[in-house]
Amino acid sequence: MTDAQPPDDMKLQRTSRDRTGVPAALAGWLATKLPAGADPAVTLHSSIDANGMSSETLSFDVSWEADGARHTAAYVARAVPSAQDFPVYESYRLQDQYDTMRLIGELSDVPVPRVSFMEPTGEVLGTPFFLMDRLGGVVPPDLMPYNFGSNWLFEASPQEQRRLQDNTVKALAGLHSIPQADKVFDFLNPEQPGTTALARHLARTRSWYEFAARDLGPSPLIERALGWLEANLPETTETVLVWGDARLGNMMYEDFEPVGVLDWEMASLGPRELDLSWLIFAHRSFESITENFGLPGMPHFMREEDLVAAYRELTGAEIGDLTWYHVHSAVNWGVLFMRTGARSIHFGEIERPDDIETLMHHRALFERLVNELGTGTP
């Protein structure tokens, strides 16, 4: 248990949207999608603040008339953030997210919410969005991070925590096992130049950093790491579906088993190590934050050796040294913190710091990792 509070720049405002007109706008739009005479009514729920830093999420119920009876359904709308709200990413490619979730649902047993209607024009809510079924379950919180204490996962037994860990790896292995991913998900291939999917993925990372640096200025730490990544790019041509944001906070659980794999803004193609490292590094980053607060954290949980062993047993894939991929994960977390920090500055939640790297909550971990690199290859 802990009474610790997050620093101000971890209390993230995501949108300036006035929600008062949203139910009527959604109901009017749904009336054009449902059969004539459906007369839909929308009840909007409170926003979800414990997780998610990128897309805007609207949770609501809708009821409508059909066959002489009133029907109800529970939905979540994933909406592109408006330009005035400092979007985390350069581009949200909402149709790609929609198609990725639809194909995963068709081609695998990995639990993703069923997607339904797409609104690509932005004329209804001001930005494009799509609807997906709202699932029941619980999510390990990001704010405060689950390893800070006072939440269901922290207070679970070691056996329950291990069951969740193993089931999470199983879901990731299922995603990576979808056959012919390079053809099925070819629309996810990064548009940046490069001779391999990994090279293009790294070029996309640099582009994202340069996008973030336009508002805050450069980060010497990120630039040093990017230079090393580019000089030591692994020679791999493996291509699987890369979730891109593989972490516990993007999964919904029931009885410590995933019932929803969420958030596909960062989906791409590339080697499986990208996702495996992200899963490991996300927990490692949270552990580094607990160190800053003098909290015990969960050092027994989500350990690299355990995750790699479980993944290898499920897939038969040999996973070598992950150093390059961990540095890549550290860079992406750094860019993510730059963008969410810029948004907090925009909303007046924090002052612009003289040193932008203070926005990076994993800074100590990142610096330690980069300082250990030297000049050799991974």
Side-chain angles (χ1 to χ4, degrees):
M1 300 286 185
T2 178
D3 294 324
Q5 293 297 313
D8 289 341
D9 57 342
M10 288 182 71
K11 299 175 181 177
L12 302 172
Q13 182 175 342
R14 296 163 177 82
T15 178
S16 57
R17 181 187 299 279
D18 181 357
R19 294 163 55 93
T20 56
V22 169
L26 285 172
W29 174 69
L30 285 167
T32 70
K33 302 295 181 182
L34 297 170
D39 188 26
V42 168
T43 302
L44 194 63
H45 297 295
S46 299
S47 60
I48 302 170
D49 293 328
N51 289 72
M53 293 182 282
S54 52
S55 293
E56 184 180 359
T57 300
L58 298 168
S59 176
F60 66 95
D61 295 331
V62 58
S63 63
W64 71 96
E65 294 285 344
D67 302 321
R70 197 74 181 168
H71 302 266
T72 61
Y75 287 111
V76 169
R78 291 285 284 179
V80 174
S82 67
Q84 69 186 28
D85 288 340
F86 272 68
V88 169
Y89 303 114
E90 292 181 85
S91 172
Y92 280 77
R93 302 181 61 163
L94 206 66
Q95 187 67 53
D96 288 353
Q97 297 178 46
Y98 180 97
D99 290 338
T100 298
M101 295 175 68
R102 175 181 58 81
L103 287 166
I104 293 169
E106 293 173 358
L107 299 173
S108 77
D109 294 328
V110 177
V112 291
R114 184 182 66 89
V115 293
S116 51
F117 301 123
M118 164 75 77
E119 202 296 291
T121 69
E123 295 174 358
V124 177
L125 295 181
T127 60
F129 66 91
F130 67 82
L131 300 189
M132 58 186 180
D133 289 354
R134 189 169 78 242
L135 304 176
V138 290
V139 179
D142 290 339
L143 301 174
M144 301 283 284
Y146 57 82
N147 60 333
F148 271 50
S150 298
N151 63 79
W152 65 273
L153 179 55
F154 186 90
E155 294 166 359
S157 70
Q159 294 77 19
E160 291 169 329
Q161 292 171 353
R162 184 56 182 254
R163 187 159 81 246
L164 181 141
Q165 176 179 302
D166 290 343
N167 284 330
T168 299
V169 175
K170 183 178 178 181
L172 190 62
L175 289 171
H176 294 168
S177 298
I178 297 176
Q180 297 185 305
D182 58 334
K183 296 180 175 62
V184 174
F185 299 97
D186 62 340
F187 55 90
L188 294 178
N189 208 337
E191 297 175 349
Q192 284 74 19
T195 58
T196 65
L198 183 58
R200 292 187 290 275
H201 195 98
L202 179 57
R204 188 178 74 168
T205 296
R206 176 172 279 283
S207 177
W208 188 28
Y209 162 67
E210 291 172 351
F211 166 71
R214 290 175 208 160
D215 292 304
L216 290 177
S219 160
L221 182 59
I222 288 180
E223 292 190 358
R224 180 183 171 193
L226 278 171
W228 183 88
L229 289 168
E230 290 164 348
N232 294 280
L233 185 72
E235 295 180 0
T236 177
T237 59
E238 182 184 48
T239 303
V240 301
L241 169 63
V242 174
W243 179 4
D245 202 1
R247 59 188 183 85
L248 301 186
N250 284 336
M251 303 185 82
M252 184 169 283
Y253 296 87
E254 282 186 0
D255 192 26
F256 304 95
E257 182 171 347
V259 293
V261 178
L262 313 171
D263 290 8
W264 290 90
E265 294 97 336
M266 297 173 69
S268 183
L269 295 174
R272 63 188 73 231
E273 286 87 353
L274 286 166
D275 273 343
L276 195 55
S277 169
W278 192 260
L279 184 64
I280 295 165
F281 196 84
H283 179 73
R284 191 174 294 174
S285 294
F286 280 172
E287 286 291 282
S288 73
I289 297 173
T290 63
E291 292 176 10
N292 295 338
F293 281 86
L295 299 172
M298 298 172 68
H300 63 284
F301 183 58
M302 301 293 286
R303 298 187 307 171
E304 179 170 334
E305 58 267 36
D306 296 332
L307 294 173
V308 169
Y311 185 90
R312 183 184 295 118
E313 182 177 349
L314 287 165
T315 64
E318 283 302 318
I319 305 298
D321 186 275
L322 289 173
T323 299
W324 189 94
Y325 298 95
H326 290 338
V327 175
H328 182 262
S329 293
V331 166
N332 278 276
W333 274 94
V335 179
L336 179 67
F337 285 135
M338 285 177 68
R339 287 305 294 169
T340 56
R343 188 163 57 191
S344 291
I345 294 167
H346 167 72
F347 282 122
E349 296 168 332
I350 61 171
E351 296 291 330
R352 181 189 179 100
D354 294 331
D355 179 1
I356 66 162
E357 290 176 358
T358 61
L359 297 171
M360 301 176 190
H361 302 298
H362 72 325
R363 181 179 186 175
L365 173 63
F366 193 0
E367 289 177 334
R368 186 163 63 246
L369 185 60
V370 170
N371 288 337
E372 290 172 354
L373 293 176
T375 59
T377 57

